[in-house]
Amino acid sequence: ERTIDVIRESGADIIAMQETYGSGAAIADALDFSFHLRSSNLSVMSRFPIVAVHDLYEPFRLGGATLELSPGQELTVFSLWIHHLPSIDAALSSGSSADEIVAAEWETRASETRDILAALAPHIARSGEVPLIVAGDFNSPSYLDWTTATHAMHSDLTVPWPVSVQMVEAGFKDAYRVAHPDPTKQYGRTWSPRFVDGWQDRIDYIYIHGPLLETL
């Protein structure tokens, strides 16, 4: 019920939800939103009608829908969740180097992102006509945050986090970093307000692709 209130108060038109579990249909119904459940984990809901669904890659990792914003105007949105391991907190606590962190990322999240981008290739190719959003829990920091200007915040490490590098190299824009380009002023931590003694970072993203989208 609180999630319903938050969405309603925000005025959001589209929700990319992770860890949906049994709640998605009830939330969408209360909001009178269209709803696509990809798996117990992932869903997309929107005040706009869903005209197509896209069940790409693995059900627990990626699922999307094309929405009709108005006659002749469509938008495709994917909800994403990739692996929660390796632990960033553990890597820093153990004194891992930047190279060791990157190598560990390729064992799970980075390789998943590579395969997800391959699955998304047709939608990426069409983003000039049907803009594309990939939003969700990437469970990984961004190289746009771990810069030389912020290295003192990260055990004096500057890390080219490969999930974010791949997304940007594929032509996606990190919407938060477009709106707030200086991480020293607005870092944007999303994990975790609940566990204040744990590692605090930005791991949740809205990535946009296509010239018709503008970040405000």
Side-chain angles (χ1 to χ4, degrees):
E1 291 179 359
R2 180 60 185 139
T3 300
I4 294 166
D5 292 340
V6 167
I7 295 172
R8 186 177 284 128
E9 290 163 9
S10 76
D13 299 304
I14 302 163
I15 304 297
M17 186 174 288
Q18 301 78 49
E19 300 180 28
T20 302
Y21 304 133
S23 65
I27 293 169
D29 286 347
L31 295 166
D32 196 25
F33 275 17
S34 303
F35 178 62
H36 172 52
L37 183 68
R38 167 60 165 146
S39 65
S40 63
N41 187 17
L42 301 176
S43 61
V44 174
M45 58 185 75
S46 176
R47 70 175 73 254
F48 300 109
I50 293 172
V51 295
V53 298
H54 312 290
D55 293 341
L56 307 180
Y57 193 57
E58 298 175 4
F60 209 73
R61 301 279 194 258
L62 185 72
T66 297
L67 311 172
E68 185 181 53
L69 309 186
S70 65
Q73 184 183 44
E74 295 181 345
L75 172 70
T76 296
V77 180
F78 280 88
S79 182
L80 174 148
W81 182 94
I82 54 177
H83 213 289
H84 68 290
L85 295 174
S87 165
I88 302 159
D89 204 355
L92 293 176
S93 298
S94 65
S96 296
S97 67
D99 288 344
E100 288 170 335
I101 289 172
V102 170
E105 285 287 295
W106 276 104
E107 294 178 8
T108 55
R109 293 184 282 258
S111 59
E112 289 171 356
T113 300
R114 176 197 61 209
D115 296 342
I116 285 169
L117 286 169
L120 288 172
H123 295 281
I124 292 171
R126 295 186 61 225
S127 70
E129 296 127 26
V130 180
L132 175 62
I133 294 175
V134 179
D137 183 0
F138 287 73
N139 272 313
S140 176
S142 172
Y143 82 98
L144 298 173
D145 299 347
W146 286 53
T147 66
T148 54
T150 61
H151 71 95
M153 300 163 58
H154 315 121
S155 302
D156 291 327
L157 292 175
T158 300
V159 178
W161 292 95
V163 170
S164 57
V165 169
Q166 289 181 88
M167 294 298 292
V168 172
E169 287 181 346
F172 284 90
K173 294 179 181 178
D174 177 340
Y176 185 83
R177 250 331 134 232
V178 172
H180 307 292
D182 188 347
T184 66
K185 294 180 179 178
Q186 288 168 297
Y187 193 78
R189 290 176 176 85
T190 64
W191 177 262
S192 168
R194 291 183 61 196
F195 309 114
V196 294
D197 294 329
W199 181 252
Q200 303 287 306
D201 219 310
R202 188 167 71 105
I203 63 170
D204 305 283
Y205 303 85
I206 299 171
Y207 281 107
I208 64 175
H209 203 292
L212 300 177
L213 292 177
E214 180 184 1
T215 301
L216 303 177

